[in-house]
Amino acid sequence: MADPLFIIAPPRSYTSVIGGMIGQHPQIYGLPEVNLSHGDTLGEMWDSVTAALNFGTSGLLRLLAQLHEGVQTDETVLRARHWVMRRKHWTGAKVFGYIQEVVGDDKILVDKSPRNTMKLDHMNRLLRIFPRASFLHLTRHPLTTGKSTIELIKSYGDKDPSERSAHFSPDQVWLRSQTNIMKFSEDLATGQYMRIKGEMLLSNPTFYLAQVCDWLGIDQGAEAIEQMLHPETSPYACIGPESAPFGNDPNFLKNPELDLDRLAKIKEPSIYGPVEWLKGEEFTKPVIKIARQFGYG
């Protein structure tokens, strides 16, 4: 059985588009966000995300509907939900094993659930289940990550998260996630972990996707790379049925085709200077330190 790949990154770090690209490699099966790291059983995982039902459970429901019936509708999603309810006692390892069996043992499963990084225990649980899994750490500049977070939340009629409390400030969410990832990576075997700037990969995807393929030991030929440049061909690269609409970034789901000319022009802002949601203050020293470590200046 192929060892899976987990893309680890804070929310709003290009995981949907890059995960979608990698997931279209002919030797890989790209999953939507399944959030299976949040507990030891499927029930614990499911209950941990019910507060954000559409965002937290849509991915797993869409995946099961697609695998079971080849189509994602309200009816197939309802049957997928019943499947979950009857198996809440299953362990995460058993659920992943079932998905692998249906997909095929020769396919590498790729999961890009950003919630995996919100607690160190989540990633450690994945490592216990898959001790030989690969972990691709995507980074994105904390300023553009924060702006993207605020824009998405406001688009759904919610208030700026930085107005709730410091705990919800986008830069602190970014810092907490990155700190967890860095701590987690310390215990990984040589070659098990790869870190790459999302901005770099998107600005030159042909070059960097080939590097990822080489790291994973899979085909890096022109035909395979070409397939990876079309994330829109995934059955999960669109808005799903009303009962399970998401499972990936909503903006990506609305427009999953790559605009290579636009991506080539991605710019990285300065890590220094006033930050709008911090009322003109600069990033804290810990945020700047980690951002500098990742190569942002």
Side-chain angles (χ1 to χ4, degrees):
M1 184 172 69
D3 297 309
L5 167 65
F6 293 100
I7 297 175
I8 48 178
R12 316 307 301 162
S13 297
Y14 305 120
T15 58
S16 288
V17 61
I18 293 176
M21 295 162 72
I22 294 173
Q24 290 313 107
H25 188 284
Q27 293 172 256
I28 288 177
Y29 191 90
L31 306 175
E33 296 176 15
V34 292
N35 295 309
L36 288 173
S37 68
H38 297 204
D40 293 324
T41 67
L42 179 56
E44 291 175 3
M45 301 167 201
W46 187 264
D47 293 341
S48 74
V49 294
T50 50
L53 184 60
N54 283 342
F55 285 101
T57 62
S58 284
L60 181 59
L61 292 174
R62 293 185 65 179
L63 172 66
L64 292 170
Q66 183 70 32
L67 294 181
H68 291 163
E69 305 188 51
V71 65
Q72 302 162 48
T73 65
D74 285 322
E75 291 75 19
T76 62
V77 164
L78 178 61
R79 287 190 283 274
R81 187 182 296 273
H82 289 163
W83 187 95
V84 170
M85 293 301 105
R86 293 193 298 269
R87 292 165 177 81
K88 293 183 77 172
H89 61 286
W90 278 23
T91 63
K94 189 170 183 178
V95 178
F96 271 118
Y98 173 79
I99 294 169
Q100 184 76 72
E101 180 182 2
V102 178
V103 168
D105 287 345
D106 59 331
K107 291 275 191 177
I108 297 173
L109 298 181
V110 176
D111 174 35
K112 43 77 56 188
S113 306
R115 286 182 176 84
N116 289 344
T117 69
M118 290 296 99
K119 291 185 178 180
L120 188 58
D121 285 348
H122 294 171
M123 291 181 286
N124 284 332
R125 184 175 286 110
L126 293 175
L127 185 59
R128 287 196 299 272
I129 297 173
F130 301 107
R132 297 186 302 176
S134 298
F135 294 87
L136 177 61
H137 178 189
L138 289 181
T139 68
R140 182 180 183 180
H141 195 290
L143 185 63
T144 58
T145 302
K147 287 182 176 179
S148 179
T149 299
I150 291 172
E151 288 171 2
L152 179 66
I153 290 175
K154 285 184 175 180
S155 72
Y156 284 88
D158 205 348
K159 65 190 298 186
D160 183 333
S162 61
E163 296 177 7
R164 301 173 184 173
S165 70
H167 178 73
F168 285 100
S169 184
D171 54 294
Q172 293 306 303
V173 173
W174 183 92
L175 177 62
R176 184 166 70 252
S177 177
Q178 300 291 11
T179 301
N180 288 339
I181 293 170
M182 297 301 288
K183 178 65 176 177
F184 171 71
S185 67
E186 293 175 358
D187 296 325
L188 296 177
T190 302
Q192 199 169 9
Y193 167 89
M194 180 182 191
R195 185 174 76 220
I196 190 169
K197 281 184 176 182
E199 295 92 343
M200 288 172 52
L201 191 153
L202 290 175
S203 66
N204 191 356
T206 300
F207 177 79
Y208 288 105
L209 287 174
Q211 286 195 345
V212 172
C213 291
D214 182 57
W215 171 59
L216 293 173
I218 58 177
D219 182 13
Q220 53 183 299
E223 185 176 342
I225 299 299
E226 178 62 26
Q227 291 187 45
M228 298 171 81
L229 296 179
H230 294 281
E232 72 276 6
T233 58
S234 167
Y236 313 110
C238 59
I239 296 292
E242 185 176 356
S243 55
F246 301 119
N248 273 305
D249 168 32
N251 294 332
F252 167 74
L253 296 179
K254 294 172 184 176
N255 186 23
E257 294 187 22
L258 299 182
D259 183 344
L260 295 178
D261 289 337
R262 180 182 64 83
L263 294 176
K265 299 174 184 177
I266 289 178
K267 301 293 184 182
E268 297 176 15
S270 173
I271 196 64
Y272 302 101
V275 178
E276 182 179 351
W277 68 83
L278 296 178
K279 298 179 173 57
E281 297 292 326
E282 292 193 357
F283 285 127
T284 62
K285 289 183 178 179
V287 170
I288 292 176
K289 184 176 181 179
I290 289 185
R292 292 282 294 171
Q293 185 175 349
F294 292 164
Y296 299 106

